[in-house]
Amino acid sequence: EVQLQASGGGLVQAGGSLILSCAASGVSFDELAIGWFRQGPGKKREGISCSSSSTGTTYYPDSVKGRFTISSDNAKNTQYLQMNDLKPEDTAVYYCAVYEGFCHIDSSYAFKYDYWGQGTQVTVSS
């Protein structure tokens, strides 16, 4: 059974940083496309990145490019989302999700993903 555990959220001031983690069990990261999504208050769920061993990492919204970075520890089956220069508009519940395969142009869509972590709240104060 595939399980994902997202963690690392919290309250941070604007300009600060957080590192989120997504730990997977029951499957190897080598086989997966790993996506990060977020859902802010009153907003729809938004894909912010997809990463796979075969295609590298793709970021979707321009708002996170240059501020958010993905890294992985395949030995621990864990991916990290480093978030720098956080802004109040980054406030959201952040989710990691996976599907077996590789990232492609449709990987920003939530329906592509088969397994989801429980989400971790990130709150950025101004």
Side-chain angles (χ1 to χ4, degrees), residues 97-110:
V98 301
Y99 63 87
E100 292 190 24
F102 53 89
C103 300
H104 49 73
I105 193 169
D106 290 341
S107 297
S108 64
Y109 297 107

Side-chain angles (χ1 to χ4, degrees), residues 11-115:
L11 174 64
V12 63
Q13 289 188 332
S17 299
L18 280 175
I19 302 175
L20 305 185
S21 300
C22 177
S25 61
V27 68
S28 170
F29 264 13
D30 290 345
E31 306 168 353
L32 301 175
I34 306 157
W36 285 91
F37 290 77
R38 66 184 181 184
Q39 189 164 13
K43 299 180 180 179
K44 65 179 181 180
R45 193 166 296 190
E46 174 188 42
I48 58 174
S49 74
C50 183
S51 179
S52 62
S53 58
S54 57
T55 60
T57 301
T58 301
Y59 298 94
Y60 297 108
D62 289 340
S63 58
V64 305
K65 292 177 184 177
R67 300 190 299 122
F68 290 9
T69 305
I70 295 292
S71 63
S72 296
D73 185 338
N74 285 351
K76 295 182 178 180
N77 253 15
T78 300
Q79 187 174 90
Y80 305 96
L81 176 65
Q82 170 78 51
M83 305 186 294
N84 297 327
D85 190 23
L86 283 162
K87 306 175 188 300
E89 52 264 41
D90 294 319
T91 294
V93 178
Y94 283 71
Y95 301 87
C96 61
V98 301
Y99 63 87
E100 292 190 24
F102 53 89
C103 300
H104 49 73
I105 193 169
D106 290 341
S107 297
S108 64
Y109 297 107
F111 75 85
K112 296 291 293 184
Y113 294 79
D114 298 315
Y115 303 98

